[in-house]
Amino acid sequence: MINNRNLVLLTLFLWAGLLPSISRAEDGYRLWLRYDRIIDPQLLQQYRAAIHDLYFNTTSATLHAASDELTTGLSGLLGQPVEEIHSESAAINEGALLVGTPASSAPIARLHWDSALTPLGKEGFLIRHYTLDGQHGIAIVANTDVGVLYGAFHFLRLLQTHQSLRSLDITSIPALQYRVLDHWDNLNRTVERGYAGLSIFDWWTLPLYKDSRYTDYARANASVGINGSVLNSVNASPIILTPAWLSKAAALADIFRPYGIRVYLSVNFSSPMSIGGLPTADPLDPAVQAWWKKKVDEIYSYIPDFGGFLVKANSEGQPGPQNYGRSHADGANALADALAPHHGIVIWRAFVYSGSSEDRVKQAYDEFKPLDGKFRDNVLLQVKNGPLDFQPREPFSPLFGAVPKMPLMLEVQITQEYLGFSNHLVYLAPLFEECLNADTYAKGKGTPVSATITGMAGVANIGNDINWCGHPFAQANWYAFGRLAWCATSPTDRSAAIADEWIRQTFSNNPGIVDTLKKMMLASREIAVDYMTPLGLAHIMGYSHHYGPAPWYDKASRADWNPVYFHRADSAGLGFDRTVTGSNALEQYAPGARTLWADKKDCPDNAVLWWHHVGWNDRLHSGRTLWEELCHKYYTGVDSVRWMQKCWDALQPRGIDAERWQQVKMLLGIQQQDAVWWRNACLLYFQTFSRQPLPAGAEQPDHTLAYYENLQLYYAPGTANSGIPQTTNP
Ligand code: GCW
C-alpha cells in the first residue's frame, strides 16, 4: 500500500541510498545514532524477517518521537523502508513490531502483560516476543510513553550492535531516579571547563530560533536514559531568572519534554538582591522567602514540569546563606519550600571549602555531616565523586553513606578539566565505576557508593563543535555517563560492556576494530593516571586552567589552590599524611573503609601518596622504592600512550573512516607530547627532593626543569582567565 507517508519514506530512502556515492563525511555529528545499513547479509536477513512492520499509535509527542526514531533507525539499518501501521483495528501481521503502552495500543493491551509491567515503574521497559492472533513478533512495551521511548532506543541499539533477535527477553529499569547533565554553560555562551566550542544553547536567538541541534541533543540524551538537564553553570548569573531568559529556558524545555528530559536551572543565591531589588538574600528573611516563592511560581508558569534548582553556595566566591550567618540547610530549605508545591527539588552542592587551614578534603564532610536530617525532603545533596575535585584518581567522598537522612546525587565530571581537556583520549567509565563500586562500609561490608545515591549528575562535555565533544572519543564519556546512571547497581563489568556497545554504534562492528578500541579505551584512564598523577598524587596541574604539569606552583592566593599544598614533597619523601599522624581525613570514613588505607605498608600503591607521606627509599608493593616506582609510572604512562598510537595507526587499513582516523591520530600526537611533558616536568621537579637519578638507559628529558617551570599557557580554553599577568593598569 503506497500512501503519502510511504512515498515520503521511499523518497528519503532512495536519497539515503545515494549518499554513500556523494560520500557523507563522518564528522561525528551523528554520535552513536548512526543507523547505517547493516552490511552482514545473514544478519540483515534475520532482522528483515523479524521486523516486518511497525504497529504504533502515536498518541503523544513522546510516542511520536519514539516512532520517528524507530522508522528512521530501522529504515536505515535494514536498508528498506519500514512501514508504520497506525490503525488500531488493523490485523496483526507476522513480524509486526508492537510498540507502546497498554493504554496507547489495543494490541498491547491484549497481550495482558500486566504482572511483568508492574515492576517497571515510570521509566522501565520490556522487549519480548509475543504471539497474538496466531502471529509472532517482538513487542516493546512500557507503562509510560517515555518508557516506550527508552525501549525504542534500546531496541535500535540491539540492531546497531548486531545482537541476535531470536530469543529476546529484556526487562530494563533504571537504577537511579535522577540522571542529569549539568552544563557549566554561561549566558554569553562560553562554557566553564568546556573544550568543545561554545555552548550549544544559543541564548541570544532563543526563544524564537530553535536550532535543530536541540532536538538531536535531546535524542542523544534519551537514547542513554538521561532525564534531566541543568542548562546553566553553577557559577550562576542571576539573569537566568529574569522573564526574558525564562522564556528562553522554556523554549528548550518544550523541545526536551517529549524526550523525557526535565529542565533545571542553576541559581545564584543573591538573586533576590541582584534582580529582586531586596536589601538582603538572608534565607530566613520573610521578604526573601516571599521573593523566592513568587519567582518559583513564575518559573512554573513558563515551564510547568520544571525540575528545580541546582545551587553552588558559599563556595569559590559564590554567595550563600553563610553570608548571613545561616547554615546550608537554612539556605536550601528556603528554596525547597518555594519549590515543594510544584514538586520541584533543590540540588544543593557539597563542593564547599573555605581556604581555612583544615585539610581541604575534609571540609565538605565537616560542613554537611552535622546537618544530616536538617534539610527538607525535596533537597538532595550533590557530592563530587572524590573529596577534592575531579582528579584522575581520588578515593570516594566520605559523605557517601555518612548522611543517611539525605538523598544524594553523585556528581562526576564528564568534561576533562583535569584529564587533558578534549585533547586526550581518556575513557572515564572506569573512573566513574570505581567510585560507584567503592565500598563505603556505611552499613557494614558491601555498601557500595551506588547503594547510597538517588541520582547521578555529570558535568557535560558538550559544545557546538560539529562532533559535540571535541575529541571523537570524548563522546564515549557522555554515552557512558548515561548508561552507567541507568544501570548503576548492576554488578557486571559495565565499563567494558558500555565501551563495546559504544564502539559498535559509533565506529564499527568489525571484531578487530572493536577489540582494539576497547583495549585502548579500557586502558586509557590508568594510562592518564600514570603520566599525570600516579600513586595517589593529586592536583599538581597548571594553576587555574589545569592543563599540563605544575607541581612546583606555590603562588596562588590560597594555600589549597597550590600544587605544593597537595603533594608535600620534601627531602624525606612525598605525599600528604591524612592518617591520625597527619590531617586525619581518614577518620571521616567508616572503620571498614579506613582499614584499606590506614597502614602505610598495606595501603594500595595507587592511593599511597594520597594517604601517606612516603620515604623516597621506602619499598612499595611493586618491590620498587618510591622513587623507582614514581619513575616507573611516569615512563610507563608515556610508553602506553605510544602503544595507543601504534594501535590506532594499525587500524587505518581496517575500516576506520579517514576523517575520524586522522583526527584521532593528530590528537594522540598531542597526548603523546603532553605525556612526555608531564613525565619530564614532574620527574625533574621531584628529583630536586629525592636527589636520585632517572632510570639509566631511559629516554632523558630534553629540557631543564627551569624550562618547564617557565612555560606559560595563554588563553587555555575553559577559563575566563587569559593567563597573561596583569602588570599594567587595566
Ligand atoms: O573543579 C572546579 C572548577 C571550577 C568549578 C568548580 C565547581 C564551576 O575548577 O571551574 O566551577 O570546580 O565544581 O564548582
Side-chain angles (χ1 to χ4, degrees):
M1 176 181 58
I2 297 276
N3 55 26
N4 277 349
R5 184 183 169 98
N6 286 349
L7 254 185
V8 172
L9 270 176
L10 197 65
T11 319
L12 277 176
F13 171 70
L14 290 174
W15 262 103
L18 289 176
L19 282 179
S21 59
I22 50 174
S23 166
R24 180 187 179 123
E26 286 283 8
D27 57 18
Y29 183 83
R30 293 184 298 163
L31 295 160
W32 48 88
L33 303 172
R34 288 163 64 253
Y35 307 139
D36 287 341
R37 182 175 177 278
I38 288 161
I39 297 165
D40 178 337
Q42 278 176 348
L43 203 61
L44 198 57
Q45 202 187 1
Q46 188 208 122
Y47 288 171
R48 284 178 175 173
I51 307 159
H52 188 257
D53 39 31
L54 199 56
Y55 274 63
F56 226 123
N57 194 19
T58 46
T59 49
S60 71
T62 298
L63 289 178
H64 210 88
S67 112
D68 277 357
E69 199 71 33
L70 278 171
T71 28
T72 313
L74 292 175
S75 305
L77 288 160
L78 302 187
Q80 62 186 23
V82 172
E83 190 181 348
E84 186 177 321
I85 298 180
H86 284 271
S87 165
E88 280 295 85
S89 53
I92 306 286
N93 294 323
E94 182 70 12
L97 183 64
L98 297 185
V99 190
T101 61
S104 68
S105 155
I108 286 178
R110 288 201 288 123
L111 293 173
H112 299 296
W113 282 356
D114 309 13
S115 60
L117 280 164
T118 311
L120 299 181
K122 289 192 180 143
E123 293 180 305
F125 58 84
L126 296 175
I127 304 180
R128 285 184 175 180
H129 298 276
Y130 68 82
T131 306
L132 194 65
D133 304 336
Q135 310 293 335
H136 309 89
I138 297 168
I140 305 173
V141 183
N143 291 317
T144 61
D145 295 352
V146 77
V148 172
L149 179 70
Y150 291 145
F153 276 113
H154 192 84
F155 186 70
L156 288 166
R157 181 157 48 233
L158 296 178
L159 272 68
Q160 287 175 283
T161 57
H162 292 191
Q163 309 290 305
S164 165
L165 300 183
R166 293 223 163 92
S167 46
L168 288 177
D169 188 6
I170 296 171
T171 301
S172 189
I173 306 168
L176 301 174
Q177 187 183 347
Y178 298 101
R179 306 176 301 276
V180 180
L181 274 188
D182 287 6
H183 288 270
W184 284 359
D185 296 17
N186 296 311
L187 305 189
N188 64 2
R189 263 191 115 173
T190 58
V191 182
E192 180 148 354
R193 311 308 178 181
Y195 314 108
L198 294 174
S199 170
I200 55 163
F201 305 132
D202 185 1
W203 295 104
W204 197 246
T205 55
L206 280 164
L208 286 185
Y209 186 87
K210 297 178 176 80
D211 193 329
S212 60
R213 193 163 196 158
Y214 303 146
T215 308
D216 289 331
Y217 163 87
R219 288 174 52 233
N221 281 331
S223 76
V224 292
I226 290 169
N227 65 3
S229 173
V230 184
L231 302 179
N232 61 319
S233 171
V234 288
N235 291 331
S237 163
I239 298 301
I240 192 70
L241 294 182
T242 59
W245 292 77
L246 289 177
S247 71
K248 295 168 192 280
L252 292 174
D254 290 344
I255 297 169
F256 301 165
R257 188 169 298 113
Y259 294 88
I261 299 164
R262 287 179 110 180
V263 155
Y264 298 74
L265 294 175
S266 293
V267 294
N268 183 301
F269 201 77
S270 288
S271 301
M273 296 164 76
S274 42
I275 58 165
L278 296 184
T280 175
D282 179 350
L284 298 193
D285 184 302
V288 171
Q289 294 174 350
W291 187 87
W292 280 113
K293 275 193 191 300
K294 200 159 160 246
K295 183 50 77 181
V296 166
D297 292 346
E298 184 188 350
I299 296 172
Y300 279 90
S301 72
Y302 285 93
I303 309 173
D305 57 350
F306 178 62
F309 292 147
L310 173 64
V311 193
K312 172 176 178 178
N314 293 118
S315 168
E316 298 185 331
Q318 292 302 312
Q322 292 177 338
N323 297 23
Y324 310 94
R326 312 298 185 191
S327 73
H328 282 284
D330 294 330
N333 291 344
L335 304 185
D337 288 343
L339 287 156
H342 304 278
H343 310 291
I345 60 169
V346 175
I347 306 173
W348 196 264
R349 293 179 86 225
F351 181 68
V352 298
Y353 62 101
S354 62
S356 71
S357 59
E358 183 63 297
D359 181 357
R360 174 170 153 184
V361 309
K362 292 175 70 176
Q363 294 178 31
Y365 177 100
D366 286 345
E367 194 77 57
F368 287 98
K369 171 81 182 155
L371 294 177
D372 192 22
K374 303 233 157 52
F375 289 87
R376 300 281 191 264
D377 290 347
N378 59 334
V379 179
L380 286 85
L381 188 65
Q382 182 156 300
V383 181
K384 289 189 181 182
N385 59 293
L388 179 50
D389 195 7
F390 298 139
Q391 296 303 294
R393 169 164 282 122
E394 290 182 54
F396 65 92
S397 163
L399 277 165
F400 295 111
V403 282
K405 300 200 181 99
M406 285 208 84
L408 296 182
M409 296 277 288
L410 159 62
E411 180 177 320
V412 296
Q413 198 178 38
I414 308 172
T415 192
Q416 293 169 230
E417 173 182 358
Y418 293 97
L419 282 141
F421 297 4
S422 286
N423 293 353
H424 292 200
L425 190 168
V426 188
Y427 175 52
L428 294 174
L431 188 164
F432 302 160
E433 206 177 3
E434 187 171 283
C435 177
L436 286 164
N437 292 344
D439 197 345
T440 65
Y441 287 83
K443 294 185 200 145
K445 192 168 167 48
T447 321
V449 168
S450 60
T452 70
I453 57 176
T454 306
M456 228 172 131
V459 180
N461 63 349
I462 300 163
N464 72 344
D465 276 8
I466 186 73
N467 73 1
W468 302 82
C469 303
H471 199 303
F473 278 79
Q475 297 179 354
N477 294 330
W478 175 10
Y479 182 88
F481 165 75
R483 296 288 286 142
L484 269 175
W486 183 278
C487 61
T489 47
S490 91
T492 51
D493 180 1
R494 295 159 299 195
S495 297
I498 292 170
D500 189 283
E501 58 183 44
W502 178 79
I503 296 164
R504 288 172 186 277
Q505 294 169 89
T506 310
F507 280 104
S508 167
N509 276 282
N510 173 319
I513 293 178
V514 174
D515 206 49
T516 307
L517 298 200
K518 204 167 21 168
K519 270 195 219 134
M520 290 170 66
M521 288 170 73
L522 290 175
S524 62
R525 185 278 184 121
E526 209 59 48
I527 293 171
V529 171
D530 284 351
Y531 65 73
M532 288 182 177
T533 54
L535 304 176
L537 286 172
H539 219 308
I540 56 173
M541 295 74 187
Y543 173 68
S544 176
H545 52 69
H546 302 152
Y547 194 85
W552 48 81
Y553 196 82
D554 61 0
K555 304 275 183 301
S557 55
R558 285 168 57 156
D560 56 8
W561 284 344
N562 280 317
V564 295
Y565 170 94
F566 291 104
H567 64 65
R568 313 240 156 165
D570 58 24
S571 60
L574 179 62
F576 198 136
D577 182 359
R578 294 191 164 102
T579 66
V580 67
T581 50
S583 77
N584 208 10
L586 194 60
E587 199 186 22
Q588 296 180 334
Y589 290 83
R594 281 182 225 159
T595 55
L596 182 65
W597 304 304
D599 187 339
K600 202 190 293 194
K601 286 198 200 64
D602 297 339
C603 185
D605 288 356
N606 70 12
V608 74
L609 301 180
W610 178 278
W611 294 110
H612 301 277
H613 194 69
V614 181
W616 291 111
N617 292 318
D618 288 358
R619 291 218 174 263
L620 304 187
H621 293 287
S622 65
R624 287 181 275 266
T625 66
L626 170 62
W627 174 248
E628 288 165 354
E629 186 64 14
L630 198 67
C631 293
H632 176 73
K633 286 290 181 191
Y634 276 113
Y635 274 93
T636 306
V638 171
D639 291 347
S640 307
V641 177
R642 290 178 180 154
W643 165 79
M644 290 207 285
Q645 289 182 292
K646 284 206 191 88
C647 295
W648 190 255
D649 286 350
L651 284 177
Q652 187 194 17
R654 307 240 307 271
I656 295 261
D657 55 282
E659 188 170 0
R660 287 182 298 174
W661 184 83
Q662 193 60 40
Q663 262 181 331
V664 173
K665 183 178 170 60
M666 291 187 286
L667 289 165
L668 284 170
I670 299 180
Q671 189 167 1
Q672 193 272 156
Q673 180 180 291
D674 288 352
V676 171
W677 172 26
W678 269 97
R679 179 196 70 192
N680 292 352
C682 291
L683 287 178
L684 286 171
Y685 170 73
F686 289 128
Q687 189 180 39
T688 64
F689 300 95
S690 79
R691 311 223 159 264
Q692 299 189 35
L694 296 178
E699 189 174 85
Q700 297 298 303
D702 42 7
H703 296 287
T704 62
L705 176 58
Y707 166 87
Y708 292 113
E709 287 183 350
N710 288 324
L711 279 179
Q712 290 294 334
L713 303 193
Y714 300 121
Y715 300 110
T719 159
N721 186 347
S722 67
I724 300 171
Q726 298 293 311
T727 48
T728 50
N729 288 335

